């Protein structure tokens, strides 16, 4: 089809010629440099892969694989592989999946033999919820979806059922409808290792009587069988490695306590609810203050569609410091100290034996919570608010804690819509388990998905050495807020995009004309590196060509994620979403690459891609 027709009103129609897709001038010049007489030979392609694409180990077999893959385009006049490629065939190679910005082979390449505490781990929050935190349906389907996408930490909240003789999974004291624990466990066993062979950690929030704890122990043991990991001792001196735990399921929860029915009276429940309500009101006022005047009206409308813009961590922390939330504002399942041995007298021994990673808060305040015990390791959970408050005064202590122990960060209680927060605040302080609502689609989740595209998508990403190192006579650790020198500069050139006309109806973006696309490119990382920039909008074109270049100086490239978004400009209404992706900077392949884009949920489009160039200087 060479033309598209759009209806302007009842009587008139407008016709637009479809732009013929052709290589940008720079690509044509590159082809001329590496070809003779309009043909790029296999040897010349190999030379280009090494010199331009940075693939120093490119072999003749790799070249032949490219040649063979291009024969799938039967409608193109591609030459026989013994002769080489013409310009059109070379252009198709540049847009091919083999030319992706990350390795197309999804191989695990990080050292997987270090303790678990040395890795960022793909972590879910309330993994059983299909929607919001108050009234949605609980199901094993979101658990299955998480495991299939590579999530390695699944959270289940266990409560007695209505007859007190079985276990339900639900978000307690809400209107969420329960799902049977047995159903969730069966699905976990079936799907645990489909996306990755590395361990699945099952974090259990326990609200059960000792007899039901014993029933859980029986169910877990019978369901998982040999997949279940049993610790050698009740307290671990060091966590085992992901490599040693392949295809194992690990239980993590607090050491069991006597059922708290007698401890938590109705009056206390009421008081807790009032406190939560007051905390919610306070947080709501705080959020309103921060949001006021920060966004234009149009940008605010866009936030509702694809998620709020990632917050500036520096501004957020300063605002939080001024708000000074009370200690009760971040209550969670581990608020009752583990040191109360009286509550553990009637605990199920079978249940206790299953716990490989002990969780909980020590008696006392923050200093005790993050105290490093040289003889044992554990897991600590903090709400995003608690972490934000803690890093103001104890940033280095938290990083020291995470060098041996596990830190889990979870969304604040006011996120009833299952939204998420900026994960970088946890990662740059060494938190391994930054727990996210996987149904909370938007920019924060895109960052999470981007981080775990690294290391072959196995769900474990080795933390950079800077978070594990201790330097100098004063045992200094990494400071995310420090003014550091630039280590490298990433140059990003956005050439063009294609595929929207194949994946969308021609009136999807604009009923009166072809779309006006622009691209946003930026970095999410430590505060000094975080920035967003954008191209001009190209009017009325399904295959826009921008040819714009951006530079991003990076002080901590090890924690940087490249953010890419495409939007369709609309003068009168909010801009439309045209695709997104997020890529770990340390794993970018240099050269000219075909960057596939994803929808709001993180599902890859069939055809939509950008042609971009990456270079480090």
């Amino acid at each position: 089809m060479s033309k598209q027709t759009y209806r302007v009103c009842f009587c008139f129609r407008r016709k637009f010629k479809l732009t013929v897709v052709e290589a940008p001038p720079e690509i044509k010049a590159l082809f001329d440099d590496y070809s003779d007489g309009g043909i790029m030979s296999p040897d010349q392609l190999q030379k280009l892969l090494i010199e331009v694409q940075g693939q120093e180990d490119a072999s003749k077999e790799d070249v032949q694989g490219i040649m063979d893959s291009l024969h799938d385009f039967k409608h193109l006049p591609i030459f026989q592989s013994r002769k080489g490629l013409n310009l059109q065939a070379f252009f198709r190679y540049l847009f091919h999946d083999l030319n992706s910005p990350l390795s197309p082979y999804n191989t695990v390449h990080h050292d997987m033999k270090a303790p678990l505490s040395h890795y960022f781990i793909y972590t879910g929050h309330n993994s059983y919820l299909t929607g919001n935190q108050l009234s949605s349906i609980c199901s094993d389907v979101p658990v299955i979806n998480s495991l299939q996408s590579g999530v390695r930490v699944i959270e289940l909240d266990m409560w007695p059922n209505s007859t007190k003789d079985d276990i339900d999974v639900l978000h307690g004291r809400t209107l969420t409808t329960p799902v049977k624990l047995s159903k969730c466990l069966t699905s976990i066993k079936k799907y645990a290792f489909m996306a990755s062979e590395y361990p699945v950690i099952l974090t259990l929030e326990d609200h059960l009587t000792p007899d039901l704890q014993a029933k859980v122990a029986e169910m877990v043991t019978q369901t998982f069988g040999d997949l279940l990991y049993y610790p050698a001792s009740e307290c671990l001196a060091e966590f085992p490695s992901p490599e040693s735990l392949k295809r194992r399921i690990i239980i993590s929860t607090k050491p069991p306590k006597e059922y708290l029915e007698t401890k938590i009276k109705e009056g206390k429940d009421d008081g807790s609810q009032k406190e939560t309500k007051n905390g919610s009101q306070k947080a709501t006022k705080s959020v309103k203050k921060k949001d006021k005047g920060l966004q234009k009206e149009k940008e605010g409308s866009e936030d509702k569609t694809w998620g709020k813009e990632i917050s500036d961590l520096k501004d957020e922390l300063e605002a939080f410091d001024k708000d000074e939330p009370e200690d009760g504002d971040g209550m969670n399942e581990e608020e009752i100290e583990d040191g109360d041995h009286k509550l553990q007298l009637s605990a199920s021994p079978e249940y206790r034996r299953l716990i490989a990673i002990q969780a909980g808060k020590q008696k006392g305040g923050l200093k005790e919570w993050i105290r490093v015990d040289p003889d044992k390791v554990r897991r600590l959970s903090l709400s995003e608010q608690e972490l934000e408050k803690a890093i103001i005064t104890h940033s280095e202590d938290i990083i020291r804690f995470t060098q041996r122990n596990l830190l889990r960060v979870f969304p604040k209680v006011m996120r009833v819509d299952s939204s998420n927060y900026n994960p970088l605040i946890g990662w740059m302080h060494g938190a391994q388990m930054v727990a996210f609502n996987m149904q909370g689609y938007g920019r924060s989740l895109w960052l999470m998905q981007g981080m775990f595209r690294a290391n072959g998508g196995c769900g474990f990403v080795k933390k950079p050495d800077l978070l594990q190192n201790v330097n100098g006579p004063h045992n200094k650790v990494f400071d995310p807020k420090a003014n550091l020198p630039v280590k490298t500069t990433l140059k990003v050139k956005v050439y063009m995009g294609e595929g929207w006309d194949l994946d969308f109806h021609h009136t999807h973006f604009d009923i009166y004309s072809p779309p006006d696309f622009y691209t946003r490119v930026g970095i999410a990382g430590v505060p000094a590196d975080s920035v967003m920039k954008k191209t001009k909008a190209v009017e009325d074109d399904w295959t826009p060509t921008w040819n714009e270049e951006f530079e991003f100086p990076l002080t901590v490239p090890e924690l940087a994620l490249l953010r890419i978004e495409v939007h369709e400009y609309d003068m009168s209404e909010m801009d439309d979403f045209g695709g997104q992706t997020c890529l770990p900077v340390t794993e970018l392949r240099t050269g000219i690459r075909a960057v596939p884009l994803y929808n709001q949920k993180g599902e890859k489009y069939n055809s939509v891609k950008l042609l971009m160039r990456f270079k480090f200087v």
Side-chain angles (χ1 to χ4, degrees):
M1 182 173 62
S2 59
K3 292 184 179 181
Q4 284 183 337
T5 301
Y6 293 81
R7 177 177 293 178
V8 178
C9 61
F10 293 109
C11 303
F12 300 98
R13 296 176 183 269
R14 296 177 66 191
K15 290 186 177 181
F16 290 86
K17 287 185 178 180
L18 291 178
T19 305
V20 177
V21 181
E22 62 179 34
E26 189 173 321
I27 303 301
K28 292 179 180 178
L30 182 66
F31 178 80
D32 290 340
D33 290 341
Y34 287 85
S35 65
D36 291 315
I39 301 297
M40 181 182 289
S41 69
D43 289 342
Q44 289 170 320
L45 177 56
Q46 184 181 11
K47 185 179 179 183
L48 179 140
L49 293 178
I50 295 171
E51 296 179 354
V52 177
Q53 301 294 75
Q55 297 172 224
E56 296 178 358
D57 57 349
S59 64
K60 293 187 182 298
E61 289 73 20
D62 294 329
V63 172
Q64 190 59 51
I66 292 172
M67 297 286 190
D68 293 342
S69 68
L70 291 175
H71 283 281
D72 294 338
F73 297 92
K74 295 179 180 179
H75 60 287
L76 295 177
I78 294 176
F79 290 83
Q80 296 296 320
S81 59
R82 68 177 183 273
K83 294 182 179 180
L85 306 176
N86 65 3
L87 174 61
Q88 191 177 14
F90 174 65
F91 187 43
R92 281 300 95 200
Y93 149 68
L94 291 178
F95 266 108
H96 198 276
D97 289 341
L98 287 176
N99 191 38
S100 61
L102 305 179
S103 172
Y105 303 111
N106 285 332
T107 55
V108 175
H109 52 276
H110 293 185
D111 174 17
M112 302 301 285
K113 295 181 180 179
L116 286 174
S117 55
H118 290 221
Y119 300 84
F120 297 130
I121 309 173
Y122 205 174
T123 302
H125 172 256
N126 289 352
S127 305
Y128 49 87
L129 287 178
T130 57
N132 67 62
Q133 302 288 309
L134 296 180
S135 60
S136 63
I137 296 172
C138 302
S139 170
D140 65 330
V141 173
V143 173
I144 294 170
N145 292 340
S146 292
L147 291 170
Q148 288 179 323
S149 65
V151 173
R152 297 290 86 191
V153 182
I154 299 295
E155 182 186 25
L156 301 178
D157 292 7
M158 304 185 303
W159 294 81
N161 68 350
S162 57
T163 56
K164 310 295 184 184
D165 60 353
D166 202 358
I167 301 98
D168 282 339
V169 171
L170 74 156
H171 197 196
R173 302 185 180 92
T174 67
L175 299 177
T176 55
T177 54
V179 60
K180 292 294 183 186
L181 174 64
S182 57
K183 187 174 184 180
C184 292
L185 296 180
T186 301
S187 295
I188 290 171
K189 179 184 180 181
K190 182 177 179 180
Y191 293 93
F193 305 110
M194 284 192 170
S196 169
E197 62 181 347
Y198 287 95
V200 168
I201 301 173
L202 190 54
T203 61
L204 302 176
E205 186 175 327
D206 174 4
H207 305 274
L208 303 175
T209 55
D211 59 315
L212 288 179
Q213 288 176 351
K215 187 166 185 175
V216 169
E218 182 181 0
M219 292 168 61
V220 167
T221 303
Q222 290 181 355
T223 302
F224 296 147
D226 293 338
L227 297 176
L228 195 61
Y229 171 77
Y230 292 94
S233 60
E234 187 170 317
C235 296
L236 295 173
E238 183 179 66
F239 289 118
S241 69
E243 186 69 26
S244 68
L245 295 169
K246 277 184 176 179
R247 303 192 69 82
R248 303 300 291 271
I249 295 175
I250 305 165
I251 304 298
S252 177
T253 186
K254 298 169 295 181
K257 300 175 178 64
E258 183 179 347
Y259 187 57
L260 301 182
E261 193 171 52
T262 57
K263 186 177 179 70
I264 303 175
K265 303 293 184 183
E266 285 294 324
K268 287 192 176 183
D269 281 345
D270 294 340
S272 174
Q273 290 170 7
K274 289 177 183 177
E275 183 179 4
T276 302
K277 183 178 180 181
N278 291 337
S280 301
Q281 291 173 345
K282 183 187 296 184
T284 302
K285 290 179 182 177
S286 171
V287 170
K288 287 179 179 178
K289 285 180 183 177
K290 292 178 199 173
D291 285 348
K292 216 174 219 183
L294 291 180
Q295 299 276 350
K296 293 180 180 179
E297 184 176 348
K298 182 176 176 179
E299 290 173 337
S301 299
E302 291 170 356
D303 290 344
K304 296 177 183 178
T305 303
W306 48 75
K308 191 174 180 179
E309 180 54 84
I310 302 301
S311 59
D312 186 306
L313 289 176
K314 186 175 180 181
D315 293 345
E316 186 174 282
L317 295 182
E318 288 176 355
F320 188 88
D321 193 18
K322 293 176 183 176
D323 288 343
E324 293 181 353
E326 297 175 4
D327 290 339
D329 281 354
M331 295 293 284
N332 68 79
E333 69 270 19
E334 292 169 14
E335 282 300 309
I336 299 169
E337 290 86 351
D338 284 342
D340 192 347
H341 298 292
K342 294 180 181 178
L343 292 176
Q344 302 179 23
L345 293 178
S346 58
S348 162
E350 300 91 345
Y351 182 73
R352 176 186 292 277
R353 181 171 170 261
L354 297 177
I355 303 172
I357 300 176
Q358 292 196 3
K361 290 179 176 175
Q362 305 299 318
K363 279 187 176 181
L366 177 63
K367 287 185 179 179
E368 289 302 311
W369 297 351
I370 58 176
R371 181 176 58 83
V372 177
D373 188 332
D375 298 321
K376 71 174 183 178
V377 290
R378 57 192 171 90
R379 173 174 68 82
L380 171 68
S381 284
L382 296 176
S383 71
E384 59 175 290
Q385 285 179 309
E386 287 176 319
L387 179 63
E388 287 173 345
K389 184 177 180 181
I391 62 180
I392 294 171
T393 54
H394 293 80
S395 177
E396 291 189 4
D397 293 329
I398 290 173
I399 292 177
R400 286 192 185 92
F401 177 83
T402 61
Q403 290 177 343
R404 275 180 41 80
N405 300 278
L406 297 177
L407 175 59
R408 172 179 169 267
V409 184
F410 61 93
K412 59 188 176 184
V413 68
M414 283 78 77
R415 293 190 183 277
V416 295
D417 59 349
S418 294
S419 61
N420 291 300
Y421 50 99
N422 188 342
L424 267 302
I425 194 172
W427 291 332
M428 67 188 186
H429 288 90
Q432 298 87 351
M433 298 180 176
V434 178
F436 260 36
N437 297 306
M438 295 301 163
Q439 75 278 30
Y441 310 120
R443 286 184 168 118
S444 294
L445 187 57
W446 300 346
L447 293 186
M448 177 69 67
Q449 292 166 340
M451 168 64 84
F452 290 100
R453 290 190 178 108
N455 199 25
C458 73
F460 286 82
V461 173
K462 188 81 158 52
K463 294 199 297 187
D465 290 340
L466 59 87
L467 287 172
Q468 293 298 122
N469 293 341
V470 178
N471 302 309
H474 302 292
N475 294 329
K476 284 288 184 181
V477 295
F478 174 67
D479 181 0
K481 299 185 290 295
N483 292 319
L484 300 173
V486 173
K487 282 187 180 180
T488 186
T489 296
L490 173 62
K491 287 188 174 183
V492 177
K493 185 158 189 177
V494 187
Y495 289 112
M496 61 178 296
E498 70 169 20
W500 290 281
D501 58 324
L502 300 175
D503 290 350
F504 295 91
H505 188 269
H506 78 284
T507 58
H508 174 85
F509 296 102
D510 193 327
I511 61 174
Y512 302 118
S513 66
D516 308 327
F517 288 123
Y518 65 91
T519 299
R520 300 179 75 229
V521 185
I523 296 292
V526 297
D529 295 347
S530 299
V531 67
M532 286 298 289
K533 302 177 181 181
K534 71 177 182 178
T535 68
K536 64 182 180 295
V538 176
E539 295 185 359
D540 301 334
D541 200 335
W542 283 100
T543 55
T545 298
W546 295 283
N547 283 325
E548 294 189 43
E549 188 171 46
F550 305 97
E551 292 190 6
F552 302 101
L554 301 174
T555 62
V556 188
E558 299 92 336
L559 290 173
L561 297 167
L562 179 64
R563 298 176 55 198
I564 302 168
E565 299 177 11
V566 175
H567 303 285
E568 196 272 335
Y569 176 74
D570 195 314
M571 185 179 298
S572 59
E573 300 177 2
M574 70 177 184
D575 295 348
D576 293 313
F577 176 82
Q580 60 82 23
T581 192
C582 190
L583 303 167
V585 166
T586 55
E587 303 219 352
L588 279 177
R589 299 202 296 170
T590 56
I592 301 166
R593 301 294 174 184
V595 180
L597 297 187
Y598 299 75
N599 64 17
Q600 288 101 322
K601 294 182 179 182
E603 301 162 341
K604 189 162 73 170
Y605 290 125
N606 292 327
S607 310
V608 178
K609 293 177 182 175
L610 297 180
L611 191 65
M612 306 179 73
R613 184 169 188 163
F614 307 114
K615 184 178 181 181
F616 291 97
V617 294

